[in-house]
Structure formats: C-alpha cells, structure tokens
Amino acid sequence: MLAGRKKILSVVGARPNFMKVGPLHRVIRQFPEKFLHKVVHTGQHYDERMSKIFFEDLELPKPDFYLGVGSGSHSEQTAKVMIEFDHVVERERPDIVIVVGDVNSTVACSLVAVKKGIKVAHVEAGLRSFDRSMPEEINRIVTDAISELLFVSEPSGMTNLVREGISEKKAFFVGNVMIDSLVYFLPKSRQSGLRNSLGLDGRNYTVVTLHRPTNVDDPLRLAKIFDMFEHLSSSASIVFPIHPRTRKQIGEFGLMRRATAIPSLQLIDPAGYLDFLALMAGASLVVTDSGGVQEETTFLGIPCLTLRQSTERPITIEQGTNQLCGEDLGIALRRAQAILGGEKKIGRIPELWDGRAAERIVEILLKQV
Ligand code: UD1
Ligand code: UDP
C-alpha cells in the first residue's frame, strides 16, 4: 500500500444507500494515491431486486465485504450488523467510516466505528422529521451525535444540527449525493424499456411507492389506500412497484385480491434504478412515502404527494413539487385528481442539487482525513 494513503470504508445496507455511495465511490477512486476505498454491504436488504440490481445499474463494484445480516427486529438487525462490522473494522483498521442516510445499518456501523476510535462521516446529516416514532429519526439523531464529519443536503439540516449543539465546524452543506446519481444516470435511464412494456408510453400515469410501517403495517390503513387507488384509477393508470415489506403485508392482510381487482393498477416487482428513474420521469404524478423519492421528484419537477404526517426533507415542500397529505386519504385523493386534471405545483431545484455533492465531500475529506 502507498505510504500515507488513507483507508475509507463506506457502508451500504438498504436500497436507498446504493445511490448515495455510488457517486462517492466514483469520485474517491479518482484519487488512488490518496485513498484506498472499500465498500461494506451489511445485507440488510438482500433480495436481488433490492440489492444486486443496484450494483449493476449504478456501476458499483462488488462489495469488498458482505455481512449477510438479513431481516429481524430492529434490535436484532442492529446488533447483528454491529457484531459483524466490528470484525471488519478490527481487521481493516480504516481511517474513516462513511455512513449514509438513516437506516439501521447506518446507526449500527457508526456506533461500532466510534467505539473503536475511528472517525465517522455521515452523509445526509441533519435531516429531522421531529417524529421520534419513526425508527429512522432515532437513527439520524444518534448517528449525527457521534459523527465527526456531517455532510448536509439541504439548509434545514444545518439549522437542526446547530440546534442540537453540534459544532458548525463539523457540518458542511454540500448538496445531495442522491441527486448526483440521478444527474449521472438520467440519460442512460432513457433507454429503459419498462414504460413501454407496461403499456404506459405516451399515457398519463401515476407511480406509487409505499413501505413505511404507518402506511403498510396497519391492515385498515392499507385497505383504505387501495380504496383511494380504486378512485384514482378512473383518471389515470397506476403502476406500483411493491417493496418486499409491503408485499408481505398485503399477503398477510389478505389484500392481494382486492389490489389486483383494481382496474388500471399494475402491481410489479421492485424496479431497478434505471427503470424506476424512467418511470418517475414520465409520470404525471408520484404518490409515495419514500424519503429519496420526495427529493428525486422535486429535481425532476414531477408532482409528488407524500402519504405522511411529516417530512425530514422540508425543502421538497418549500421549494419543490412535494405536498404532504398526512393521515387524510380524502385530501390525498382530491389533490391527486387535481394534479391529474392539470393543476400542478411548480417547483424549483434546491441549491447545490447539481450532481456535484460527492466532489464537494471528497474535497473536504482530502483536507480532513
Ligand atoms: C428499511 C429502512 C427504511 C428505508 C427502507 C428503504 C430501517 C429501520 N428501515 O425499511 O428506513 O426507508 O429500508 O427501502 O432501517 N424484506 C425482504 N427482502 C429484502 C429486504 C426486506 O423480503 O431484501 C422484507 C422482510 O420481510 C423484512 C421487511 O421487508 O422483515 C422489512 O425490511 P427492513 O430492512 O427491516 O425494513 P424496511 O421496511 O425495508
Ligand atoms: N427506487 C428504485 N426502485 C423502486 C423504488 C425506488 O430504484 O422500485 C429508488 C428511488 O429512485 C430512490 C431510492 O430507491 O433512489 C429510494 O429508496 P426507498 O424508497 O427504498 O428508501 P427511502 O428513501 O424511503 O429511505
């Protein structure tokens, strides 16, 4: 190994992590004399369409370590990641561990690293929904409290960190790495054949993604969501790539027949990244509870209705095309019908969502690691 070269371990675990580490990897590897970069996949998500497909689509190298932790309760999953990641850190002795987002793998690996005296850099720091019943909110607060470098995607993140007493010297407003991936791969996504194979090319359609426990773990709520889709499907086709958690719950609640009986609703497997970008880019409306999808629709200028009470990404409401719909599905339906009828919220692209966030992060790493 070259003397003085710094070793970086980046952690991926769940679907939204791959598109955040991808751009970092692309920039870090431009400095082979400065950094040795290794990628650790915890295996929190493991289905081919929740994991492997993203390595192909995002041109990520095969992970250097695969921990294979799989699913479980929050504590079980977090604990398993910690035990397995501890072995990796012990062996590799990195100079810095990079974690992204807010999933259980994020907080687990941050804890392991700091307890071994290794610096943690948190990418997408400072986001807050102010709803501690969300597991992600706890993951965000803990990860930020113990990170040495905090890379922030929107101004609210800086305000939140300062409010929590985190030194401004550690926090850097760099923009949004998830948007880096979008900017980089949008041209390639135009070759996707998914829209055509679903018969959606040139038509008005709505894309749906849902996986939050508040929407999909309650049988009554999930049934009401399908009622709403039934009403909506008379205005436009709906395509719903189903997250494995949601598919499992639809099955357990006996809702599959209800769902498949809705005219113009197509339930499909989770889409690959390029296919999903193409689906979103051609949609008249996106209905979601995803964090990342709120941001991507804002960048693309596609109307987005978020079926949640709060968002940790307020800029998508203040400047973007996103609207929060909360509990009331009647409101969501009326807004959806208005959008499909042509009443669109016009947004703008937030500051520093320009495809260069990873470059700004690596510039800081070159000075600070
Ligand atoms: C996780 C993250 C959430 C993120 C989401 C992105 C936490 C606490 N939650 O939620 O923040 O928005 O990923 O998609 O980290 N399953 C499979 N195959 C898989 C993965 C999951 O079948 O490859 C099923 C299992 O039944 C599992 C359930 O989905 O129990 C939930 O998976 P889990 O990773 O615990 O949480 P997500 O709901 O995916
Ligand atoms: N995504 C995808 N295929 C899908 C649904 C989403 O590739 O079928 C992408 C989406 O474009 C975004 C990321 O997955 O880049 C968001 O992940 P997810 O919604 O699972 O997690 P969250 O952002 O809510 O944590």
Side-chain angles (χ1 to χ4, degrees):
M1 207 211 293
L2 290 172
R5 194 158 69 144
K6 302 293 183 183
K7 189 187 275 188
I8 302 177
L9 284 190
S10 290
V11 176
V12 291
R15 178 166 70 185
N17 299 157
F18 306 118
M19 37 307 264
K20 295 170 193 171
V21 168
L24 290 168
H25 177 72
R26 220 172 14 257
V27 181
I28 293 170
R29 76 172 176 202
Q30 290 168 12
F31 298 90
E33 72 294 353
K34 300 278 187 199
F35 297 123
L36 172 64
H37 188 217
K38 294 194 175 182
V39 174
V40 182
H41 185 345
T42 66
Q44 175 172 346
H45 284 175
Y46 43 86
D47 287 355
E48 188 166 334
R49 299 192 71 81
M50 295 299 286
S51 174
K52 186 163 177 270
I53 195 166
F54 294 102
F55 283 82
E56 291 155 13
D57 278 8
L58 293 155
E59 297 165 13
L60 271 163
K62 205 168 162 277
D64 298 276
F65 302 93
Y66 184 73
L67 309 183
V69 300
S71 306
S73 70
H74 286 280
S75 304
E76 206 178 352
Q77 190 174 57
T78 308
K80 276 191 192 161
V81 174
M82 286 185 72
I83 291 167
E84 296 305 322
F85 189 62
D86 196 61
H87 298 316
V88 176
V89 172
E90 185 62 39
R91 192 173 120 192
E92 291 293 314
R93 292 269 142 207
D95 295 286
I96 188 157
V97 168
I98 299 183
V99 295
V100 297
D102 54 17
V103 301
N104 285 343
S105 300
T106 310
V107 70
C109 294
S110 310
L111 277 166
V112 168
V114 284
K115 281 172 180 285
K116 286 201 168 321
I118 290 158
K119 271 189 190 175
V120 174
H122 184 204
V123 175
E124 209 183 81
L127 297 181
R128 297 289 181 268
S129 65
F130 303 101
D131 174 0
R132 288 197 179 198
S133 71
M134 285 182 79
E136 295 80 7
E137 183 77 349
I138 307 299
N139 295 345
R140 290 189 277 259
I141 292 168
V142 173
T143 304
D144 286 342
I146 60 181
S147 292
E148 198 59 39
L149 290 171
L150 299 110
F151 296 115
V152 175
S153 56
E154 63 163 84
S156 73
M158 297 298 279
T159 315
N160 294 333
L161 292 175
V162 170
R163 191 189 302 113
E164 287 171 22
I166 292 169
S167 162
E168 271 177 274
K169 289 193 189 129
K170 296 183 184 178
F172 302 88
F173 174 42
V174 291
N176 190 325
V177 284
M178 194 168 221
I179 299 301
D180 287 9
S181 274
L182 197 165
V183 168
Y184 190 83
F185 286 107
L186 194 59
K188 194 174 174 190
S189 75
R190 296 197 180 105
Q191 292 161 19
S192 160
L194 183 62
R195 243 173 12 204
N196 186 35
S197 69
L198 294 170
L200 298 172
D201 263 342
R203 299 197 28 207
N204 278 334
Y205 66 89
T206 298
V207 176
V208 173
T209 80
L210 294 172
H211 67 271
R212 297 279 161 216
T214 44
N215 282 323
V216 308
D217 286 5
D218 170 4
L220 221 72
R221 171 82 181 170
L222 196 51
K224 282 191 190 155
I225 288 175
F226 282 116
D227 290 345
M228 176 184 131
F229 294 158
E230 171 117 52
H231 288 291
L232 205 57
S233 71
S234 60
S235 313
S237 305
I238 304 175
V239 56
F240 185 175
I242 310 185
H243 189 285
R245 177 190 202 102
T246 310
R247 183 174 286 280
K248 186 174 116 202
Q249 301 298 57
I250 290 173
E252 275 181 18
F253 303 152
L255 286 170
M256 196 44 101
R257 275 164 70 104
R258 164 86 191 92
T260 50
I262 298 174
S264 328
L265 169 65
Q266 302 193 67
L267 301 172
I268 62 170
D269 283 336
Y273 182 67
L274 299 173
D275 281 341
F276 193 72
L277 281 192
L279 270 188
M280 275 193 297
S284 304
L285 166 67
V286 173
V287 176
T288 195
D289 58 15
S290 158
V293 171
Q294 294 174 64
E295 298 182 332
E296 291 167 336
T297 45
T298 274
F299 184 88
L300 293 167
I302 304 292
C304 177
L305 295 178
T306 297
L307 301 189
R308 286 175 44 185
Q309 306 263 42
S310 59
T311 179
E312 61 289 334
R313 292 159 160 92
I315 201 142
T316 62
I317 309 278
E318 290 152 14
Q319 296 186 8
T321 53
N322 190 19
Q323 297 181 65
L324 275 185
C325 293
E327 285 267 292
D328 189 339
L329 292 170
I331 292 182
L333 179 62
R334 281 193 296 282
R335 285 190 183 157
Q337 285 165 333
I339 290 166
L340 293 171
E343 245 180 68
K344 293 192 178 160
K345 178 185 176 200
I346 307 295
R348 65 175 195 271
I349 296 175
E351 190 187 356
L352 298 188
W353 290 20
D354 58 358
R356 305 188 58 188
E359 287 174 34
R360 288 187 277 272
I361 289 173
V362 173
E363 230 170 81
I364 294 162
L365 293 178
L366 282 166
K367 290 186 201 135
Q368 306 250 352
V369 180

